[in-house]
């Protein structure tokens, strides 16, 4: 079964390659203006599921590092007291993701997850996944503005689907997990979630609708501060009318970036 690092790979895998004008093409530096060298997001009151309010206290801090092409090569996520730190490092070859290494530290316990490309042909990328106890094959296929990621392990399978608009904003994602582990009374357990997103003319997300089993949550995003480059530095999110999350973003630019 696909382990936790899938959450970190989703954004990376959609930016594998672009074969033509009609294909999805990743936005350099996440679409930010100027020559970005680093990003740090400080996240307040963030809930993982997106359906429930949080405590209103600092929950997590994320840092993002890029290569010269604007691709994410390293992210570090840690919770407020640093009792859990997750580091994700990515390597690219042939204009596509080649390998990923995730290191998750919880107290003194360390968990490692690796993914390495083993083939690339006919628009399909195949990766060998390893979480330390299991190994399996993950397939990624991009067709135009659509991406399908599928993996099957000993206890079931997962399927991730993503769709982008003509501006290469991801407007819909769908995640399906089917598990046949013995602990389920009927032998199987199915989790399916769908997320739809809307954007403004600058490419900033303005609304997302998360739909799960018997649950739907609408999150509205607003932007309150911008830097000299015109990139937002403070974002606020409200879910179903209550405050959900505030993000304060610090962006570092190269000295020769326009406007500095």
């Amino acid at each position: 079964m696909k382990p936790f690092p899938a959450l970190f790979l989703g954004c990376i895998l959609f930016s594998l390659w672009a074969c033509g004008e009609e294909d999805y093409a990743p936005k350099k530096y996440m679409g930010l203006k100027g020559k970005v060298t680093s990003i740090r997001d400080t996240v307040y009151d963030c809930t993982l599921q997106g359906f429930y309010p949080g405590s209103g206290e600092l929950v997590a801090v994320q840092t993002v590092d890029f290569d010269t092409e604007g691709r994410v090569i390293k992210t570090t996520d840690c919770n407020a007291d640093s009792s859990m730190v997750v580091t994700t490092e990515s390597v690219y070859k042939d204009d596509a993701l080649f390998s990923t290494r995730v290191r998750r530290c919880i107290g003194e316990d360390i968990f490692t997850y690796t993914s390495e490309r083993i083939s690339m042909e006919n628009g399909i990328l195949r990766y060998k996944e390893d979480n330390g106890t299991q190994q399996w094959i993950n397939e990624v296929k991009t067709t135009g503005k659509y991406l399908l990621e599928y993996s099957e392990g000993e206890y079931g399978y997962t399927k991730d689907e993503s769709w982008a608009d003509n501006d290469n904003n991801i407007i819909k994602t769908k995640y399906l997990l089917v598990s046949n582990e013995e602990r389920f009374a009927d032998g199987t357990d199915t989790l399916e979630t769908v997320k739809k997103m809307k954007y403004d003319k600058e490419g900033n997300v303005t609304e997302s609708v998360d739909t799960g089993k018997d649950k739907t949550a609408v999150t509205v995003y607003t932007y309150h501060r911008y830097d000299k480059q015109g990139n937002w530095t403070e974002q606020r999110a409200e879910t179903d009318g209550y405050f959900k999350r505030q993000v304060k973003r610090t962006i570092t630019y190269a000295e020769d970036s326009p406007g500095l």
Side-chain angles (χ1 to χ4, degrees):
M1 182 54 56
K2 205 174 190 179
F4 67 87
L7 298 173
F8 300 95
L9 291 179
C11 295
I12 297 174
L13 289 175
F14 207 124
S15 59
L16 293 171
W17 61 25
C19 299
E21 293 183 359
E22 300 303 319
D23 293 323
Y24 175 85
K27 295 181 178 181
K28 280 195 174 185
Y29 306 106
M30 297 164 55
L32 300 179
K33 303 179 184 70
K35 191 174 182 179
V36 177
T37 58
S38 69
I39 298 174
R40 171 165 289 180
D41 286 351
T42 305
V43 183
Y44 299 86
D45 191 13
C46 180
T47 55
L48 296 179
Q49 291 81 9
F51 290 105
Y52 306 105
S55 63
E57 300 176 351
L58 173 65
V59 174
V61 176
Q62 180 186 70
T63 59
V64 184
D65 296 318
F66 300 88
D67 64 12
T68 56
E69 294 299 315
R71 297 173 298 200
V72 176
I73 57 174
K74 182 178 180 180
T75 63
T76 302
D77 297 82
C78 64
N79 57 0
D81 61 4
S82 298
S83 60
M84 182 178 72
V85 179
V86 181
T87 303
T88 305
E89 296 178 293
S90 301
V91 176
Y92 299 84
K93 291 183 180 180
D94 305 316
D95 294 325
L97 180 67
F98 177 75
S99 64
T100 302
R101 184 176 186 271
V102 181
R103 189 171 184 266
R104 187 174 191 176
C105 301
I106 305 176
E108 297 182 355
D109 296 324
I110 299 176
F111 305 91
T112 301
Y113 167 90
T114 60
S115 173
E116 184 171 339
R117 191 176 73 209
I118 56 176
S119 66
M120 181 174 67
E121 57 182 323
N122 299 323
I124 299 178
L125 298 171
R126 291 183 175 86
Y127 294 86
K128 180 181 179 181
E129 317 286 312
D130 189 335
N131 66 0
T133 58
Q134 283 183 285
Q135 293 183 350
W136 66 96
I137 301 300
N138 189 33
E139 292 189 349
V140 183
K141 181 178 182 180
T142 304
T143 305
K145 303 293 185 180
Y146 168 78
L147 177 137
L148 172 64
E149 180 186 349
Y150 179 86
S151 65
E152 186 169 350
E154 181 180 354
Y155 299 111
Y157 68 90
T158 61
K159 183 168 70 172
D160 285 286
E161 298 175 276
S162 301
W163 293 262
D165 61 16
N166 290 331
D167 293 322
N168 292 331
N169 296 313
I170 298 175
I171 56 175
K172 180 181 177 181
T173 61
K174 184 177 181 180
Y175 175 75
L176 175 67
L177 180 150
V178 177
S179 177
N180 57 12
E181 295 185 69
E182 295 179 356
R183 68 174 181 269
F184 301 116
D186 60 358
T188 62
D189 181 62
T190 300
L191 170 66
E192 184 173 358
T193 60
V194 177
K195 183 171 187 173
K196 297 181 180 180
M197 289 146 284
K198 295 181 181 179
Y199 298 81
D200 62 18
K201 62 180 181 180
E202 299 296 327
N204 299 317
V205 61
T206 58
E207 181 183 276
S208 64
V209 179
D210 295 85
T211 304
K213 185 178 181 180
D214 302 322
K215 295 178 182 178
T216 297
V218 179
T219 301
V220 177
Y221 303 85
T222 54
Y223 301 88
H224 300 274
R225 294 181 184 275
Y226 295 82
D227 62 16
K228 293 181 179 180
Q229 293 285 341
N231 297 314
W232 67 263
T233 57
E234 185 175 317
Q235 178 202 70
R236 180 185 176 94
E238 293 186 355
T239 299
D240 294 339
Y242 59 75
F243 175 76
K244 175 189 175 185
R245 182 181 65 186
Q246 182 183 42
V247 181
K248 292 187 176 181
R249 170 171 287 181
T250 302
I251 307 172
T252 304
Y253 300 94
E255 293 183 359
D256 60 349
S257 188
L260 294 182

